[in-house]
Amino acid sequence: MILPQLILDCETPPQFVHLEQNASDFEQKLVEAIRYPTNTEYVFISTAHLTDEFYGYLNRQAEKNRYSIEIFDFGDSKSAFHHLDEEQIHRVDYDQTNISISSNYGAYEECLLPENKTYHIIGDTHECIDELKSLLVSFGFQFDKEDAVLVCPPSDQAFIFLGDFIDKGKQTEQMVEFLYSYWQYFYFVLGNHESFVYKYIRGEIKGANQKIVDTYFDSIPVLKANPELLQKFNFLVEHARPFYELKGCFIATHAPCKNKYLGKLDEKSLRKMRNFHLNRDMPTQEQLLFLKKEASNDLPFHFFGHVASANAFRIQNKVHLDTGCVHSNLLTAAIIHNQSLKIKSIPSHHETTLDKKLPHLF
């Protein structure tokens, strides 16, 4: 079957491939098209008869790789889809109908990083402003006594925050003011703390447990009491992205997540890249074993934080960078140029209220 004309209602044409079910290499080509890191936006599959077996296979592949399925009948034979609910099928006239497809590639492009730079990827800071400045100084920044930048690194050096720059550290104002003053030097990945606080103050979150809000999101009253500071915080959040990706080299998300969510922009994938809910009654490492299962040196590096531990760890391409700076442990960053990776940590002098030791993972 030849595809009908595609009308693209987007500035940047989406990625798409067309596959024939009866081709000898169909399954190989399908898997190559939809698995991470390729993530082809649209895959058109031509079939003369959609059997239960083939439809089941497509559903399994779609679920495995976080895709949805749309079925089009171009008037050849309704019997080809006899086993499906009529509401699942788009009945169109092959001779007269064009297919119009949209794309959110513009939003995806905003998450793509320029090449030919050395990237410094900084784990969760949680308002540990002194440790952050010390780390930045080790990367070539120089500040005066008022925190003004005297010297900044060369333009081929770039800096990414993995999210959660607020809460817990009791220095909300200092952190927000510092990051706002020099935001142009940094890329911000959206953390679950920034996301929650931003939405909560705007009234977009209802029914939250007040004890949890008061315990873990102590930046909220500080921001509410200072409209100018809140405006600066909102600016930083609105300039954050759900992930950053350097094609073929790495992807940076706030939270650990399965490969099928990486680089996707549907609501569930955005939530998974931003937040990983730990069961406090289970060992932390046991809940992260999927990282070991999905890790591969053949895939781009995946940098993440969110889960505080006593150590940074690497499992093939999976690199964890939240070493509990706010819990008086370490502030950690990864430095990557091409495929060369280094890990750098500095000690934290922040007092902690944690009543147990951070876990040592992997």
Side-chain angles (χ1 to χ4, degrees):
M1 181 184 81
I2 300 174
L3 282 174
Q5 181 181 353
L6 300 177
I7 299 176
L8 310 177
D9 59 352
C10 49
E11 293 183 6
T12 305
Q15 294 179 310
F16 64 88
V17 298
H18 178 208
L19 304 177
E20 296 275 357
Q21 181 197 354
N22 58 5
S24 60
D25 59 352
F26 167 77
E27 292 191 6
Q28 175 188 342
K29 293 292 186 183
L30 176 63
V31 171
E32 289 175 353
I34 65 177
R35 71 184 174 188
Y36 174 79
T38 305
N39 288 356
T40 303
E41 198 167 354
Y42 288 94
V43 179
F44 296 95
I45 300 169
S46 297
T47 179
H49 184 69
L50 188 61
T51 64
D52 288 338
E53 181 181 5
F54 185 57
Y55 185 52
Y57 168 77
L58 294 179
N59 265 315
R60 290 191 297 274
Q61 290 298 323
E63 171 60 26
K64 182 179 179 181
N65 294 281
R66 195 62 194 161
Y67 277 74
S68 59
I69 295 177
E70 297 285 334
I71 303 168
F72 292 86
D73 176 13
F74 294 103
D76 295 324
S77 172
K78 289 190 176 182
S79 64
F81 305 99
H82 68 278
H83 57 294
L84 297 176
D85 190 311
E86 284 291 318
E87 294 182 358
Q88 295 178 267
I89 305 168
H90 302 282
R91 305 284 185 189
V92 295
D93 187 329
Y94 180 78
D95 294 323
Q96 299 179 16
T97 303
N98 296 318
I99 295 181
S100 177
I101 61 176
S102 61
S103 173
N104 57 5
Y105 194 81
Y108 175 69
E109 278 188 311
E110 294 179 350
C111 301
L112 298 181
L113 295 165
E115 298 179 347
N116 302 318
K117 290 181 181 287
T118 297
Y119 285 94
H120 305 71
I121 305 167
I122 302 169
D124 303 36
T125 51
H126 280 300
E127 302 180 2
C128 294
I129 184 68
D130 293 334
E131 288 81 357
L132 173 59
K133 286 189 290 185
S134 295
L135 185 64
L136 292 175
V137 166
S138 76
F139 292 148
F141 282 91
Q142 291 183 25
F143 304 98
D144 65 15
K145 293 181 180 179
E146 280 70 45
D147 287 341
V149 173
L150 298 175
V151 177
C152 63
S155 60
D156 64 351
Q157 307 291 302
F159 303 85
I160 302 173
F161 286 91
L162 282 184
D164 281 8
F165 61 79
I166 56 163
D167 292 326
K168 301 182 180 181
K170 309 301 182 185
Q171 298 184 95
T172 301
E173 182 176 357
Q174 296 93 319
M175 180 62 85
V176 172
E177 291 285 2
F178 178 81
L179 295 180
Y180 180 80
S181 296
Y182 306 114
W183 68 269
Q184 67 270 27
Y185 296 112
F186 308 126
Y187 294 95
F188 297 95
V189 173
L190 184 64
N192 64 298
H193 275 260
E194 292 90 71
S195 176
F196 182 90
V197 171
Y198 179 81
K199 292 177 180 178
Y200 185 88
I201 293 177
R202 292 164 65 92
E204 297 174 13
I205 295 178
K206 307 295 183 183
N209 184 308
Q210 196 59 47
K211 184 177 180 181
I212 291 177
V213 173
D214 295 341
T215 302
Y216 296 106
F217 300 95
D218 51 12
S219 64
I220 290 175
V222 178
L223 294 169
K224 280 186 170 182
N226 188 333
E228 184 179 351
L229 188 69
L230 176 60
Q231 187 175 20
K232 293 175 180 179
F233 169 75
N234 289 343
F235 176 89
L236 294 172
V237 172
E238 289 159 9
H239 279 73
R241 296 292 174 260
F243 63 91
Y244 276 107
E245 181 177 3
L246 181 60
K247 280 288 190 179
C249 186
F250 70 82
I251 188 168
T253 66
H254 174 63
C257 65
K258 293 184 177 180
N259 290 342
K260 67 179 180 180
Y261 300 115
L262 292 174
K264 304 278 177 49
L265 293 172
D266 62 280
E267 284 301 319
K268 184 173 182 179
S269 296
L270 293 174
R271 187 170 65 254
K272 291 290 187 180
M273 288 187 286
R274 186 175 64 241
N275 201 1
F276 181 85
H277 289 285
L278 278 173
N279 183 338
R280 303 295 178 182
D281 297 324
M282 291 177 59
T284 301
Q285 182 164 307
E286 185 177 313
Q287 299 174 67
L288 296 174
L289 289 177
F290 70 90
L291 295 171
K292 201 169 185 179
K293 182 178 180 181
E294 294 194 338
S296 171
N297 286 326
D298 294 328
L299 293 176
F301 286 111
H302 175 200
F303 297 105
F304 55 89
H306 183 65
V307 180
S309 69
N311 60 303
F313 64 82
R314 174 182 173 184
I315 309 171
Q316 297 188 73
N317 70 311
K318 301 288 185 180
V319 184
H320 163 270
L321 296 173
D322 182 2
T323 47
C325 185
V326 75
H327 301 303
S328 195
N329 191 43
L330 302 167
L331 179 60
T332 297
I335 303 98
I336 184 165
H337 179 71
N338 295 329
Q339 293 295 327
S340 175
L341 174 66
K342 296 180 180 178
I343 302 295
K344 180 181 182 66
S345 297
I346 63 167
S348 170
H349 303 291
H350 202 89
E351 292 186 7
T352 181
T353 58
L354 198 67
D355 57 2
K356 60 181 179 180
K357 292 184 177 180
L358 292 170
H360 190 284
L361 300 177
F362 299 100

